[in-house]
Amino acid sequence: MQALILASGMGTRMGALTADRPKCMTPLPDGETILSRQLRQLISAGIQRIVITTGAFADVLTGYVSSLSLSAEIVFVHNPEFASTNYIYSMHLAGSSLSGDMLLIHGDLVFEDTVLDMIAGSRESAMAVSTTLPLPEKDFKAVIEEDRITAVGIGFTENAAAAQPLYKLLDSDRRIWFAKIAEYCSSGDEAKRKCYAENAFNEVSESCCIRPVDFTGLLCSEIDDPSDLEAVSAELEKLRSRSVYMCFSSDFIHSGHIRMIRRAAKLGRLTVGIMTDEAVTAYKHFPLVPYDERAQLFGNINGVAEVTAQETLSYRKILSTLRPDIVVHGSDWRNGFQQPVRSEVISVLSSYGGKLVEFPFSDDKITSAAEMEMRAELALPDHRRGILRKLLAVKRPVTAIEAHSGLTGLIAENSRVYENGSVRQFDAMWISSLCDSTSRGKPDIELVDLTARMRTVNEIMEVTTKPVIFDGDTGGLTEHFVYTVRTLERTGVSMVIIEDKTGLKKNSLFGTEVAQTQADTDEFCRKITAGKNALKTDELMICARIESLILGKGSDDALARAHAYVAAGADAIMIHSRSSSPDEVLVFARSFRETNSYTPLVCVPTSYCSATEEELSSAGINIVIYANQLTRSAFPAMQKAADSILRTHSAAECDSMCMPFKEIIRLIPEE
Ligand code: SPV
Ligand code: MG
């Protein structure tokens, strides 16, 4: 790509500053001139051929440029009629020296590197505009319609944005505009050599596609008179101390991140926020790489001055602490669930004069390829098994939902709701004995054997990445349990819950309506200890489930058992209840926490479904399991569909209750 700098003008409004030199040679505070700054920026952006139009003080200008010993090819095109024409004529004269895509810049424009990057990096023709700056009275405005610039000039106000003469023109647009310019300049009409080149553009704008590129918050100003020079000089001073913030939640670094960091670092001193494990967990999944390592990785990238922890998806707290001048983000968050986060950032920034700079996001392919790879890794048994323990350290409560098949596993894995710019999702999956048995049309009496249960576990694990909590019923004979835990450990299960029952187990929700026997405490303790001793890692957690409340034995019995099971090695305690109120579970949890603050507590609010996660967690519960809701909601839906077909002798009525077949075939993404 090449560049055209228009530097033929007289610059009379600059007074003494242009008495012996062209305006583009006006010195800036840091020792550069407007032109030498532009040339340096263009060359460092990779531009190797630069055409400069000259007019007033042409010799001074060419001599000055050659004294700069630049590494790019510089071509001068002189406009001998500079005093009586406008830059449209200089562009006309330069036209034959140009080919391909180009940048077009007025020689009195001062802009920062990022603005040039945004324009030069645009895939389409582009012009620098600010959609939020007030419309300038005497300077250019661009009319924007459907994200295209349809006219540029001083007089427009409707759908207009402040615009600066910094363009990228793709070859096709350049040809169209320059052909019109040639027509203007060869028409013999003097007025058409004195008008703006944009007058010609406005006649052909329908055939061109120039996109507005928003430079709001960044320096991009023309210098027309000494007061402009003063304002721009002050801006340049400010740039030196400008602070920039951007945040990453990623486990891996790819070329897109490096590009973003490079661009952000050009804006000022860059602090990178790294989302804490807790924050990443809440919004995506438990990070593969822990916070400290991620902070080190990002901290070592060139351009990153500092790293800091961002504790939530919301930027409010960190922005209030750091008060950066600029926040950088990919433009992808304008759509999707992060919109409220973005709005909050804009409002916090505007409260103290900070600005948001968004870079176009073009790394979808790299990101999704890396994410696919990461998902594969997340699903590996050795990775998945330890996640629940890690989750327990950063999140309360951890939530799990029942899954009994690949499909319900996918629902547990992928269900998300977006709430105020944040995401809510389940943390883990519960492989319920009730639902696993029910889906096979069998009673929940340990009739479905371990081999069949493991088939379900594998089916679910094959299509998911979240940790699995396995309902181990009574755990069977201690002599069998020691083998079961090893099988679960090898498979990547994170927790097995065994209930303190003995004999023929029936589902707890029957309570005392059926004959059920609670296990002897010591005997159950021996099972727990044997299970713990059989394990090869300390990642698979053995959770002891207490049935005292179910069997009407009261809270004291439950508490005594809980302490005994913990002493025997239980990694967690599940307290079960079939009461319609959560009170007995809450009382148990609070009492247990009086003497034990560390052992995770698990509960299953099926009968006391009115309990909220907040209520349970504030009493000391760590894991809330929604144990059967997918099975219980699917069954009536299926029953209704079957009844409807039988009743109406047709599938027509039932069709409206069903997912469209186009969706069902796309429900399972192909990898
Ligand atoms: C299960 O889901 O299989 C359970 C929980 O064990 S409950 O059905 O409430 O006993
Ligand atoms: Mg069960």
Side-chain angles (χ1 to χ4, degrees):
M1 191 160 58
Q2 42 195 294
L4 172 62
I5 298 178
L6 303 174
S8 313
M10 312 252 290
T12 46
R13 279 194 282 156
M14 295 293 281
L17 284 163
T18 48
D20 59 356
R21 66 187 75 184
K23 184 163 67 165
C24 63
M25 283 175 61
T26 302
L28 296 169
D30 44 13
E32 290 185 301
T33 62
I34 303 175
L35 181 63
S36 70
R37 181 182 160 87
Q38 288 184 346
L39 291 168
R40 171 182 57 73
Q41 290 174 304
L42 287 169
I43 292 168
S44 70
I47 308 295
Q48 292 184 342
R49 185 168 185 276
I50 301 168
V51 179
I52 304 175
T53 68
T54 62
F57 305 108
D59 294 344
V60 180
L61 178 59
T62 50
Y64 170 64
V65 172
S66 49
S67 77
L68 296 173
S69 308
L70 301 167
S71 57
E73 179 195 351
I74 308 289
V75 177
F76 295 101
V77 174
H78 187 58
N79 175 2
E81 294 176 50
F82 67 89
S84 58
T85 60
N86 204 340
Y87 62 85
I88 185 170
Y89 191 58
S90 303
M91 282 175 72
H92 171 53
L93 296 177
S96 57
S97 308
L98 295 160
S99 60
D101 302 346
M102 65 173 266
L103 295 171
L104 169 63
I105 304 169
H106 283 205
D108 56 1
L109 193 67
V110 179
F111 45 85
E112 58 185 279
D113 294 350
T114 304
V115 179
L116 181 63
D117 284 350
M118 284 158 71
I119 294 285
S122 166
R123 289 192 188 142
E124 297 170 282
S125 294
M127 181 185 196
V129 305
S130 170
T131 47
T132 48
L133 282 179
L135 291 182
E137 204 181 315
K138 292 192 192 128
D139 287 324
F140 273 160
K141 281 143 286 226
V143 178
I144 302 170
E145 283 162 324
E146 291 174 4
D147 201 34
R148 279 172 66 150
I149 293 182
T150 52
V152 179
I154 312 281
F156 301 107
T157 50
E158 208 169 311
N159 298 326
Q164 292 293 356
L166 170 57
Y167 295 90
K168 174 175 182 171
L169 296 175
L170 293 187
D171 185 47
S172 53
D173 293 325
R174 178 187 60 82
R175 284 169 192 269
I176 294 169
W177 187 2
F178 273 70
K180 198 66 185 175
I181 288 174
E183 203 182 301
Y184 264 50
C185 292
S186 324
S187 68
D189 179 352
E190 279 303 303
K192 289 198 163 175
R193 292 180 172 201
K194 283 187 177 166
C195 66
Y196 296 119
E198 281 74 5
N199 291 24
F201 166 76
N202 294 346
E203 284 197 34
V204 291
S205 65
E206 283 292 293
S207 324
C208 298
C209 179
I210 300 188
R211 301 286 185 200
V213 167
D214 201 326
F215 65 82
T216 301
L218 303 174
L219 173 63
C220 184
S221 296
E222 270 186 298
I223 295 184
D224 285 327
D225 54 37
S227 75
D228 289 346
L229 178 61
E230 207 177 305
V232 166
S233 302
E235 282 289 316
L236 285 170
E237 285 296 336
K238 270 204 244 159
L239 290 194
R240 291 167 194 256
S241 58
R242 194 160 62 181
S243 56
V244 182
Y245 179 76
M246 69 188 304
C247 177
F248 289 96
S249 62
S250 182
D251 281 309
F252 48 87
I253 298 178
H254 60 59
S255 54
H257 295 137
I258 306 278
R259 256 197 306 279
M260 284 280 264
I261 286 175
R262 289 231 171 97
R263 296 177 77 177
K266 280 191 187 175
L267 290 166
R269 187 176 186 279
L270 175 63
T271 300
V272 163
I274 303 294
M275 264 202 211
T276 57
D277 293 347
E278 193 171 358
V280 180
T281 302
Y283 120 89
K284 296 207 271 198
H285 50 73
F286 196 87
L288 268 175
V289 183
Y291 170 83
D292 287 341
E293 277 177 46
R294 287 183 287 123
Q296 259 187 28
L297 279 178
F298 278 92
N300 280 310
I301 297 175
N302 234 349
V304 177
E306 206 177 323
V307 290
T308 187
Q310 181 167 323
E311 288 167 359
T312 54
L313 192 56
S314 159
Y315 284 56
R316 181 175 287 282
K317 187 167 162 220
I318 194 90
L319 295 190
S320 309
T321 314
L322 297 179
R323 293 173 73 85
D325 297 308
I326 287 182
V327 168
V328 172
H329 202 284
S331 54
D332 54 320
W333 73 342
R334 288 183 191 171
N335 306 312
F337 76 95
Q338 289 210 63
Q339 277 180 51
V341 180
R342 176 178 184 265
S343 307
E344 187 182 58
V345 166
I346 293 171
S347 117
V348 177
L349 285 171
S350 69
S351 71
Y352 65 87
K355 297 278 184 320
L356 172 66
V357 172
E358 293 173 319
F359 292 139
F361 188 77
S362 54
D363 302 311
D364 306 12
K365 278 201 187 129
I366 315 176
T367 309
S368 50
E371 246 153 36
M372 282 266 268
E373 226 171 89
M374 199 189 52
R375 279 184 59 78
E377 208 162 310
L378 280 170
L380 293 176
D382 281 343
H383 181 81
R384 188 186 320 225
R385 195 171 45 228
I387 296 294
L388 185 64
R389 260 195 207 280
K390 292 178 184 159
L391 273 170
L392 283 165
V394 299
K395 192 163 185 276
R396 182 148 147 195
V398 166
T399 58
I401 185 144
E402 170 254 315
H404 57 267
S405 60
L407 188 60
T408 47
L410 282 177
I411 290 177
E413 176 83 6
N414 297 325
S415 295
R416 274 176 183 71
V417 294
Y418 301 108
E419 219 176 60
N420 303 325
S422 173
V423 183
R424 282 181 51 75
Q425 56 178 322
F426 295 104
D427 303 303
M429 293 169 289
W430 163 244
I431 318 287
S432 149
S433 67
L434 172 66
C435 300
D436 204 356
S437 308
T438 305
S439 73
R440 297 161 196 272
K442 296 269 167 64
D444 181 19
I445 52 170
E446 297 191 270
L447 177 63
V448 180
D449 67 8
L450 185 68
T451 310
R453 300 285 314 280
M454 289 312 292
R455 260 209 347 245
T456 307
V457 171
N458 278 313
E459 198 177 282
I460 291 168
M461 284 189 144
E462 209 161 286
V463 295
T464 61
T465 63
K466 291 185 174 173
V468 165
I469 304 176
F470 183 76
D471 178 355
D473 288 320
T474 64
L477 296 173
T478 300
E479 292 79 357
H480 292 174
F481 184 56
V482 291
Y483 285 92
T484 304
V485 289
R486 296 281 302 278
T487 304
L488 294 170
E489 183 180 43
R490 234 183 1 259
T491 312
V493 168
S494 300
M495 178 184 272
V496 55
I497 301 187
I498 50 169
E499 57 197 271
D500 56 0
K501 281 199 202 127
T502 186
L504 179 63
K505 183 218 90 151
K506 302 263 176 69
N507 186 276
S508 302
L509 299 175
F510 285 121
T512 47
E513 292 160 24
V514 294
Q516 306 209 55
T517 320
Q518 199 169 15
D520 169 73
T521 304
D522 291 339
E523 204 175 298
F524 197 66
C525 283
R526 276 195 289 281
K527 196 184 284 185
I528 295 167
T529 310
K532 285 300 294 177
N533 289 341
L535 291 171
K536 294 284 178 211
T537 71
D538 70 348
E539 290 179 332
L540 170 64
M541 301 172 75
I542 297 182
C543 174
R545 161 173 165 176
I546 297 171
E547 294 288 298
S548 305
L549 302 181
I550 294 280
L551 300 173
K553 304 256 187 79
S555 197
D556 286 348
D557 182 72
L559 273 172
R561 283 175 176 269
H563 293 304
Y565 298 161
V566 170
D571 298 292
I573 295 291
M574 171 177 154
I575 182 69
H576 204 15
S577 160
R578 67 191 279 264
S579 163
S580 57
S581 136
D583 290 351
E584 60 181 18
V585 169
L586 298 176
V587 167
F588 170 88
R590 288 196 195 101
S591 312
F592 181 74
R593 284 282 172 248
E594 281 172 17
T595 50
N596 182 322
S597 60
Y598 54 90
T599 305
L601 286 178
V602 183
C603 74
V604 176
T606 301
S607 55
Y608 53 98
C609 58
S610 61
T612 63
E613 289 167 19
E614 292 73 16
E615 189 180 4
L616 294 166
S617 123
S618 66
I621 299 286
N622 302 80
I623 302 182
V624 176
I625 297 178
Y626 297 98
N628 45 46
Q629 283 73 10
L630 297 188
T631 297
R632 284 167 58 214
S633 55
F635 189 84
M638 292 192 284
Q639 185 74 67
K640 203 166 147 205
D643 289 352
S644 154
I645 294 173
L646 285 175
R647 217 175 349 92
T648 60
H649 305 209
S650 147
E653 182 188 89
C654 159
D655 207 51
S656 62
M657 306 171 200
C658 298
M659 176 181 243
F661 65 85
K662 280 190 183 142
E663 275 178 39
I664 191 116
I665 53 180
R666 295 213 179 87
L667 194 62
I668 314 297
E670 281 177 37
E671 299 229 344

